[in-house]
Amino acid sequence: MKAAPSTFHVKSFGCQMNAYDGDRMAELLEAEGMAQADADAADLVVLNTCHIREKAAEKVYSDIGRLMKRRGGAAAPMIAVAGCVAQAEGAEIPRRAPQVDIVVGPQAYHNLPALVRQAARGERALDTDMPLLSKFGALPARRRQGPSAFLTVQEGCDKFCTYCVVPYTRGAEISRPFAAIVEEAKALVDAGAKEITLLGQNVNAWAEEEKGLDHLIRALDALPGLRRIRYTTSHPNDMTEGLIRAHAEVEALMPYLHLPVQSGSDRVLKAMNRSHDAASYLRIIEQVRAARPDIAVSGDFIVGFPGETDEDFEATLRIVEAVNYAQAFSFKYSARPGTPAAGMEDQVPAPVMDERLQRLQALLGRQQLAFNQASVGRRTSILLERPGRKPGQKIGKTPRLQSVHLETDAAIGELIEVELLSAGPNSLAGAALVRQAA
Ligand code: SAM
Ligand code: SF4
């Protein structure tokens, strides 16, 4: 039996939605009177896990091993496994790692304080229920905030891409109510947020009574003090005319779109159950660029989906050339238990996947560098988010989500005007111009 914890540490893996959930769990534990501590000192460690690829899922077990070795095992903390691995593996986790005290799924973490009490009584605590929406209503109001905040507006997925675990770990697609989102956005702005990124597995599927994400974005645009709005991740099928128009009309909506295509081959897209093809994806990009010519386009790619031939992969390289991405994420296909693709024939050998990923990443890297280099000489605003490594240095983001390093005495959280001076593949250097009134 472990004593009731008075300190905690939340470690989040994976996507931005997990980062948001991690913040909310921390707020919840603070509301219970616990204080944050480093992972190597905390009485309770919450591992907020990701199940999207095998490597991500396995990380949790190596972390548990590391925690148990803490100070020779004498000071092992109470361990909670949260997130999508908890949902997918449930009771299997304590069977494989008996040191785990709590297992809590992504739709049940509002029950974390009760589960901690249960574990402190020496009982094994497990909750992987998926009640629709009750989590949000049971969480305390937002308090902890930096200049840039996440806000989950949509959860789950009904699209069932054949490679993906999300519909199983996060459940059915649901939209949070408009009024609750606006209330949370106001609380975030009151706590100091100047930028809000609306989150969802398919964020542009958000809807309430025939009104889509563009309606929500326009309502948030009216909040005094909120200067920047972003949203991620979008699905091509839910890219409505209204949302595209919002990119032309709403000044606070940042010129950045993350729109995963996954593959450039129609044959592979069909086998993935993506419900768009290469041509329809390119048409959307064209419409978005017509509405907002300076928009930065980003995407996700999977190489080595079962049955992917050299020709299919060449089609992926072609769509990358056609779009010319500002930034992108690319992954080797990882077979996930229980998904249809895991049972498909023609799994692609690892060395072939490695070679394809290298070629794709080299091309995407060249595009990203060229995009950054083309920004040199421009004047733009940046939102200062954190200190840099060197004394006096700070790091901020441009509207197009590029990181800029610069020396300035302006405070974190300020929006300032800069001139971009030089560019690398992942960031730019800038010089501050006149300070804008916040
Ligand atoms: N809903 C978004 C969409 O439809 O594009 C993506 C959400 S998913 C959490 C993030 C990315 O992980 C996907 O876009 C895909 O590229 C990647 N991914 C998902 N399942 C994968 C798998 N089994 N193997 C490799 N990458 C995967
Ligand atoms: Fe996964 Fe596809 Fe749903 Fe995206 S749309 S979360 S890739 S199933």
Side-chain angles (χ1 to χ4, degrees), residues 367-401:
Q367 292 188 345
Q368 187 168 326
L369 178 61
F371 178 80
N372 285 345
Q373 283 172 336
S375 304
V376 172
R378 278 187 182 221
R379 292 174 171 207
T380 181
S381 72
I382 64 166
L383 176 60
L384 292 172
E385 291 186 1
R386 59 195 163 92
R389 277 209 209 117
K390 296 182 196 149
Q393 193 188 49
K394 301 208 171 71
I395 301 175
K397 292 265 168 62
T398 68
R400 302 195 293 170
L401 211 60

mmCIF file of all heavy atoms in Angstrom, residues 367-401:
data_model
loop_
_atom_site.group_PDB
_atom_site.id
_atom_site.type_symbol
_atom_site.label_atom_id
_atom_site.label_comp_id
_atom_site.label_asym_id
_atom_site.label_seq_id
_atom_site.Cartn_x
_atom_site.Cartn_y
_atom_site.Cartn_z
ATOM 1 N N GLN A 367 11.643 21.273 -48.779
ATOM 2 C CA GLN A 367 10.517 22.209 -48.928
ATOM 3 C C GLN A 367 10.410 23.120 -47.704
ATOM 4 O O GLN A 367 10.160 24.323 -47.824
ATOM 5 C CB GLN A 367 9.209 21.435 -49.134
ATOM 6 C CG GLN A 367 9.161 20.715 -50.473
ATOM 7 C CD GLN A 367 7.794 20.114 -50.780
ATOM 8 O OE1 GLN A 367 6.940 19.983 -49.915
ATOM 9 N NE2 GLN A 367 7.600 19.741 -52.036
ATOM 10 N N GLN A 368 10.598 22.538 -46.527
ATOM 11 C CA GLN A 368 10.482 23.323 -45.296
ATOM 12 C C GLN A 368 11.567 24.399 -45.243
ATOM 13 O O GLN A 368 11.307 25.551 -44.898
ATOM 14 C CB GLN A 368 10.597 22.377 -44.088
ATOM 15 C CG GLN A 368 10.327 23.066 -42.778
ATOM 16 C CD GLN A 368 10.156 22.075 -41.630
ATOM 17 O OE1 GLN A 368 9.639 20.979 -41.816
ATOM 18 N NE2 GLN A 368 10.588 22.460 -40.455
ATOM 19 N N LEU A 369 12.796 24.024 -45.624
ATOM 20 C CA LEU A 369 13.891 24.997 -45.622
ATOM 21 C C LEU A 369 13.592 26.113 -46.635
ATOM 22 O O LEU A 369 13.757 27.301 -46.329
ATOM 23 C CB LEU A 369 15.214 24.297 -45.961
ATOM 24 C CG LEU A 369 16.439 25.210 -46.028
ATOM 25 C CD1 LEU A 369 16.700 25.892 -44.680
ATOM 26 C CD2 LEU A 369 17.691 24.420 -46.456
ATOM 27 N N ALA A 370 13.127 25.734 -47.815
ATOM 28 C CA ALA A 370 12.834 26.740 -48.847
ATOM 29 C C ALA A 370 11.725 27.677 -48.369
ATOM 30 O O ALA A 370 11.776 28.896 -48.599
ATOM 31 C CB ALA A 370 12.421 26.048 -50.149
ATOM 32 N N PHE A 371 10.732 27.123 -47.682
ATOM 33 C CA PHE A 371 9.630 27.943 -47.163
ATOM 34 C C PHE A 371 10.178 28.961 -46.156
ATOM 35 O O PHE A 371 9.854 30.150 -46.222
ATOM 36 C CB PHE A 371 8.591 27.031 -46.501
ATOM 37 C CG PHE A 371 7.439 27.770 -45.890
ATOM 38 C CD1 PHE A 371 6.393 28.237 -46.681
ATOM 39 C CD2 PHE A 371 7.398 28.011 -44.521
ATOM 40 C CE1 PHE A 371 5.337 28.932 -46.112
ATOM 41 C CE2 PHE A 371 6.350 28.703 -43.949
ATOM 42 C CZ PHE A 371 5.312 29.159 -44.752
ATOM 43 N N ASN A 372 11.034 28.494 -45.255
ATOM 44 C CA ASN A 372 11.600 29.406 -44.254
ATOM 45 C C ASN A 372 12.503 30.447 -44.918
ATOM 46 O O ASN A 372 12.469 31.629 -44.567
ATOM 47 C CB ASN A 372 12.380 28.618 -43.197
ATOM 48 C CG ASN A 372 11.446 27.900 -42.232
ATOM 49 O OD1 ASN A 372 10.254 28.192 -42.163
ATOM 50 N ND2 ASN A 372 11.986 26.950 -41.482
ATOM 51 N N GLN A 373 13.305 29.991 -45.889
ATOM 52 C CA GLN A 373 14.217 30.935 -46.543
ATOM 53 C C GLN A 373 13.442 32.024 -47.290
ATOM 54 O O GLN A 373 13.851 33.182 -47.322
ATOM 55 C CB GLN A 373 15.144 30.193 -47.506
ATOM 56 C CG GLN A 373 16.256 29.467 -46.759
ATOM 57 C CD GLN A 373 17.080 28.560 -47.638
ATOM 58 O OE1 GLN A 373 16.612 28.106 -48.696
ATOM 59 N NE2 GLN A 373 18.297 28.245 -47.200
ATOM 60 N N ALA A 374 12.292 31.642 -47.854
ATOM 61 C CA ALA A 374 11.492 32.633 -48.591
ATOM 62 C C ALA A 374 10.883 33.667 -47.647
ATOM 63 O O ALA A 374 10.372 34.698 -48.095
ATOM 64 C CB ALA A 374 10.396 31.918 -49.385
ATOM 65 N N SER A 375 10.908 33.392 -46.336
ATOM 66 C CA SER A 375 10.362 34.360 -45.369
ATOM 67 C C SER A 375 11.412 35.388 -44.947
ATOM 68 O O SER A 375 11.076 36.391 -44.316
ATOM 69 C CB SER A 375 9.891 33.633 -44.101
ATOM 70 O OG SER A 375 8.959 32.638 -44.422
ATOM 71 N N VAL A 376 12.676 35.127 -45.245
ATOM 72 C CA VAL A 376 13.746 36.042 -44.811
ATOM 73 C C VAL A 376 13.547 37.406 -45.477
ATOM 74 O O VAL A 376 13.231 37.500 -46.664
ATOM 75 C CB VAL A 376 15.141 35.442 -45.156
ATOM 76 C CG1 VAL A 376 16.250 36.453 -44.892
ATOM 77 C CG2 VAL A 376 15.366 34.174 -44.344
ATOM 78 N N GLY A 377 13.687 38.451 -44.653
ATOM 79 C CA GLY A 377 13.467 39.817 -45.167
ATOM 80 C C GLY A 377 12.058 40.302 -44.878
ATOM 81 O O GLY A 377 11.781 41.500 -44.929
ATOM 82 N N ARG A 378 11.137 39.384 -44.548
ATOM 83 C CA ARG A 378 9.759 39.797 -44.250
ATOM 84 C C ARG A 378 9.651 40.396 -42.867
ATOM 85 O O ARG A 378 10.381 39.998 -41.955
ATOM 86 C CB ARG A 378 8.837 38.584 -44.234
ATOM 87 C CG ARG A 378 8.371 38.125 -45.564
ATOM 88 C CD ARG A 378 7.352 37.032 -45.303
ATOM 89 N NE ARG A 378 6.855 36.456 -46.524
ATOM 90 C CZ ARG A 378 5.583 36.146 -46.728
ATOM 91 N NH1 ARG A 378 4.681 36.357 -45.787
ATOM 92 N NH2 ARG A 378 5.201 35.611 -47.855
ATOM 93 N N ARG A 379 8.665 41.272 -42.708
ATOM 94 C CA ARG A 379 8.303 41.738 -41.369
ATOM 95 C C ARG A 379 7.026 41.011 -40.972
ATOM 96 O O ARG A 379 6.111 40.883 -41.790
ATOM 97 C CB ARG A 379 8.056 43.239 -41.386
ATOM 98 C CG ARG A 379 9.345 43.957 -41.638
ATOM 99 C CD ARG A 379 9.166 45.433 -41.818
ATOM 100 N NE ARG A 379 10.499 46.042 -41.832
ATOM 101 C CZ ARG A 379 10.740 47.274 -41.460
ATOM 102 N NH1 ARG A 379 9.759 48.064 -41.057
ATOM 103 N NH2 ARG A 379 11.963 47.748 -41.495
ATOM 104 N N THR A 380 7.008 40.553 -39.752
ATOM 105 C CA THR A 380 5.847 39.777 -39.306
ATOM 106 C C THR A 380 5.681 39.930 -37.796
ATOM 107 O O THR A 380 6.588 40.415 -37.126
ATOM 108 C CB THR A 380 6.030 38.284 -39.692
ATOM 109 O OG1 THR A 380 4.888 37.553 -39.276
ATOM 110 C CG2 THR A 380 7.251 37.656 -39.037
ATOM 111 N N SER A 381 4.518 39.527 -37.283
ATOM 112 C CA SER A 381 4.361 39.566 -35.826
ATOM 113 C C SER A 381 4.779 38.209 -35.266
ATOM 114 O O SER A 381 4.650 37.179 -35.949
ATOM 115 C CB SER A 381 2.903 39.844 -35.461
ATOM 116 O OG SER A 381 2.128 38.711 -35.737
ATOM 117 N N ILE A 382 5.294 38.206 -34.061
ATOM 118 C CA ILE A 382 5.499 36.927 -33.374
ATOM 119 C C ILE A 382 4.921 37.022 -31.964
ATOM 120 O O ILE A 382 4.906 38.087 -31.352
ATOM 121 C CB ILE A 382 6.974 36.450 -33.337
ATOM 122 C CG1 ILE A 382 7.854 37.408 -32.543
ATOM 123 C CG2 ILE A 382 7.533 36.223 -34.717
ATOM 124 C CD1 ILE A 382 9.209 36.780 -32.227
ATOM 125 N N LEU A 383 4.448 35.897 -31.484
ATOM 126 C CA LEU A 383 3.977 35.799 -30.103
ATOM 127 C C LEU A 383 5.108 35.147 -29.303
ATOM 128 O O LEU A 383 5.494 34.006 -29.585
ATOM 129 C CB LEU A 383 2.703 34.945 -30.041
ATOM 130 C CG LEU A 383 2.141 34.681 -28.634
ATOM 131 C CD1 LEU A 383 1.787 35.983 -27.920
ATOM 132 C CD2 LEU A 383 0.897 33.782 -28.714
ATOM 133 N N LEU A 384 5.643 35.887 -28.328
ATOM 134 C CA LEU A 384 6.771 35.362 -27.545
ATOM 135 C C LEU A 384 6.257 34.289 -26.587
ATOM 136 O O LEU A 384 5.395 34.558 -25.743
ATOM 137 C CB LEU A 384 7.451 36.491 -26.775
ATOM 138 C CG LEU A 384 8.183 37.507 -27.654
ATOM 139 C CD1 LEU A 384 8.657 38.688 -26.827
ATOM 140 C CD2 LEU A 384 9.356 36.859 -28.393
ATOM 141 N N GLU A 385 6.796 33.073 -26.730
ATOM 142 C CA GLU A 385 6.253 31.944 -25.952
ATOM 143 C C GLU A 385 7.153 31.465 -24.834
ATOM 144 O O GLU A 385 6.679 30.951 -23.826
ATOM 145 C CB GLU A 385 5.945 30.767 -26.882
ATOM 146 C CG GLU A 385 4.775 31.072 -27.799
ATOM 147 C CD GLU A 385 4.345 29.882 -28.636
ATOM 148 O OE1 GLU A 385 4.936 28.794 -28.512
ATOM 149 O OE2 GLU A 385 3.403 30.071 -29.426
ATOM 150 N N ARG A 386 8.482 31.549 -25.026
ATOM 151 C CA ARG A 386 9.376 31.021 -23.976
ATOM 152 C C ARG A 386 10.778 31.598 -24.139
ATOM 153 O O ARG A 386 11.126 32.094 -25.224
ATOM 154 C CB ARG A 386 9.414 29.494 -23.999
ATOM 155 C CG ARG A 386 9.871 28.925 -25.286
ATOM 156 C CD ARG A 386 9.536 27.437 -25.397
ATOM 157 N NE ARG A 386 9.625 27.015 -26.773
ATOM 158 C CZ ARG A 386 10.708 26.515 -27.334
ATOM 159 N NH1 ARG A 386 11.817 26.361 -26.636
ATOM 160 N NH2 ARG A 386 10.722 26.159 -28.604
ATOM 161 N N PRO A 387 11.575 31.507 -23.050
ATOM 162 C CA PRO A 387 12.952 31.977 -23.164
ATOM 163 C C PRO A 387 13.763 31.034 -24.044
ATOM 164 O O PRO A 387 13.471 29.834 -24.105
ATOM 165 C CB PRO A 387 13.475 31.934 -21.722
ATOM 166 C CG PRO A 387 12.393 31.373 -20.883
ATOM 167 C CD PRO A 387 11.245 30.985 -21.725
ATOM 168 N N GLY A 388 14.792 31.564 -24.712
ATOM 169 C CA GLY A 388 15.704 30.725 -25.492
ATOM 170 C C GLY A 388 16.826 30.227 -24.591
ATOM 171 O O GLY A 388 16.808 30.454 -23.383
ATOM 172 N N ARG A 389 17.813 29.546 -25.203
ATOM 173 C CA ARG A 389 18.907 28.983 -24.399
ATOM 174 C C ARG A 389 19.896 30.062 -23.963
ATOM 175 O O ARG A 389 20.436 30.013 -22.878
ATOM 176 C CB ARG A 389 19.656 27.931 -25.220
ATOM 177 C CG ARG A 389 18.949 26.606 -25.151
ATOM 178 C CD ARG A 389 19.934 25.448 -25.310
ATOM 179 N NE ARG A 389 19.202 24.342 -25.905
ATOM 180 C CZ ARG A 389 19.464 23.813 -27.077
ATOM 181 N NH1 ARG A 389 20.468 24.262 -27.791
ATOM 182 N NH2 ARG A 389 18.743 22.828 -27.555
ATOM 183 N N LYS A 390 20.131 31.057 -24.865
ATOM 184 C CA LYS A 390 21.140 32.081 -24.536
ATOM 185 C C LYS A 390 20.508 33.171 -23.683
ATOM 186 O O LYS A 390 19.297 33.429 -23.809
ATOM 187 C CB LYS A 390 21.665 32.703 -25.833
ATOM 188 C CG LYS A 390 22.391 31.714 -26.705
ATOM 189 C CD LYS A 390 22.932 32.401 -27.955
ATOM 190 C CE LYS A 390 23.305 31.369 -28.998
ATOM 191 N NZ LYS A 390 23.141 31.839 -30.356
ATOM 192 N N PRO A 391 21.312 33.833 -22.853
ATOM 193 C CA PRO A 391 20.754 34.912 -22.027
ATOM 194 C C PRO A 391 20.134 36.002 -22.915
ATOM 195 O O PRO A 391 20.730 36.380 -23.928
ATOM 196 C CB PRO A 391 21.980 35.463 -21.269
ATOM 197 C CG PRO A 391 23.096 34.503 -21.512
ATOM 198 C CD PRO A 391 22.751 33.626 -22.659
ATOM 199 N N GLY A 392 18.958 36.464 -22.535
ATOM 200 C CA GLY A 392 18.294 37.536 -23.290
ATOM 201 C C GLY A 392 17.531 37.040 -24.511
ATOM 202 O O GLY A 392 16.767 37.762 -25.138
ATOM 203 N N GLN A 393 17.747 35.762 -24.875
ATOM 204 C CA GLN A 393 17.100 35.249 -26.084
ATOM 205 C C GLN A 393 15.678 34.761 -25.767
ATOM 206 O O GLN A 393 15.437 34.196 -24.699
ATOM 207 C CB GLN A 393 17.928 34.087 -26.624
ATOM 208 C CG GLN A 393 17.548 33.683 -28.035
ATOM 209 C CD GLN A 393 18.259 32.401 -28.454
ATOM 210 O OE1 GLN A 393 18.261 31.413 -27.725
ATOM 211 N NE2 GLN A 393 18.855 32.429 -29.630
ATOM 212 N N LYS A 394 14.766 35.029 -26.709
ATOM 213 C CA LYS A 394 13.404 34.498 -26.540
ATOM 214 C C LYS A 394 12.962 33.811 -27.839
ATOM 215 O O LYS A 394 13.522 34.068 -28.901
ATOM 216 C CB LYS A 394 12.445 35.628 -26.182
ATOM 217 C CG LYS A 394 12.860 36.345 -24.893
ATOM 218 C CD LYS A 394 11.697 36.950 -24.158
ATOM 219 C CE LYS A 394 12.129 37.448 -22.788
ATOM 220 N NZ LYS A 394 12.970 38.645 -22.828
ATOM 221 N N ILE A 395 11.947 32.955 -27.692
ATOM 222 C CA ILE A 395 11.455 32.220 -28.869
ATOM 223 C C ILE A 395 9.963 32.505 -29.026
ATOM 224 O O ILE A 395 9.198 32.435 -28.056
ATOM 225 C CB ILE A 395 11.693 30.700 -28.719
ATOM 226 C CG1 ILE A 395 13.189 30.426 -28.544
ATOM 227 C CG2 ILE A 395 11.146 29.945 -29.925
ATOM 228 C CD1 ILE A 395 13.549 28.978 -28.257
ATOM 229 N N GLY A 396 9.603 32.870 -30.243
ATOM 230 C CA GLY A 396 8.190 33.148 -30.521
ATOM 231 C C GLY A 396 7.774 32.472 -31.810
ATOM 232 O O GLY A 396 8.594 31.870 -32.505
ATOM 233 N N LYS A 397 6.473 32.563 -32.115
ATOM 234 C CA LYS A 397 5.950 31.925 -33.332
ATOM 235 C C LYS A 397 5.346 32.990 -34.255
ATOM 236 O O LYS A 397 4.655 33.906 -33.801
ATOM 237 C CB LYS A 397 4.859 30.924 -32.967
ATOM 238 C CG LYS A 397 5.376 29.716 -32.221
ATOM 239 C CD LYS A 397 5.661 28.545 -33.163
ATOM 240 C CE LYS A 397 6.447 27.446 -32.480
ATOM 241 N NZ LYS A 397 5.752 26.854 -31.354
ATOM 242 N N THR A 398 5.603 32.816 -35.544
ATOM 243 C CA THR A 398 4.981 33.686 -36.552
ATOM 244 C C THR A 398 3.533 33.216 -36.756
ATOM 245 O O THR A 398 3.164 32.116 -36.326
ATOM 246 C CB THR A 398 5.713 33.587 -37.905
ATOM 247 O OG1 THR A 398 5.476 32.267 -38.446
ATOM 248 C CG2 THR A 398 7.209 33.815 -37.765
ATOM 249 N N PRO A 399 2.726 33.998 -37.473
ATOM 250 C CA PRO A 399 1.369 33.526 -37.792
ATOM 251 C C PRO A 399 1.401 32.181 -38.514
ATOM 252 O O PRO A 399 0.510 31.358 -38.359
ATOM 253 C CB PRO A 399 0.820 34.622 -38.703
ATOM 254 C CG PRO A 399 1.553 35.862 -38.263
ATOM 255 C CD PRO A 399 2.947 35.386 -37.917
ATOM 256 N N ARG A 400 2.471 31.944 -39.313
ATOM 257 C CA ARG A 400 2.545 30.691 -40.074
ATOM 258 C C ARG A 400 3.274 29.587 -39.296
ATOM 259 O O ARG A 400 3.746 28.613 -39.858
ATOM 260 C CB ARG A 400 3.208 30.970 -41.426
ATOM 261 C CG ARG A 400 2.405 32.049 -42.189
ATOM 262 C CD ARG A 400 2.745 32.130 -43.636
ATOM 263 N NE ARG A 400 4.083 32.592 -43.914
ATOM 264 C CZ ARG A 400 4.655 32.557 -45.104
ATOM 265 N NH1 ARG A 400 3.979 32.073 -46.140
ATOM 266 N NH2 ARG A 400 5.865 32.998 -45.279
ATOM 267 N N LEU A 401 3.320 29.756 -37.973
ATOM 268 C CA LEU A 401 3.819 28.748 -37.025
ATOM 269 C C LEU A 401 5.314 28.443 -37.160
ATOM 270 O O LEU A 401 5.775 27.350 -36.802
ATOM 271 C CB LEU A 401 2.996 27.442 -37.134
ATOM 272 C CG LEU A 401 2.865 26.628 -35.847
ATOM 273 C CD1 LEU A 401 2.191 27.408 -34.745
ATOM 274 C CD2 LEU A 401 2.070 25.341 -36.098
#
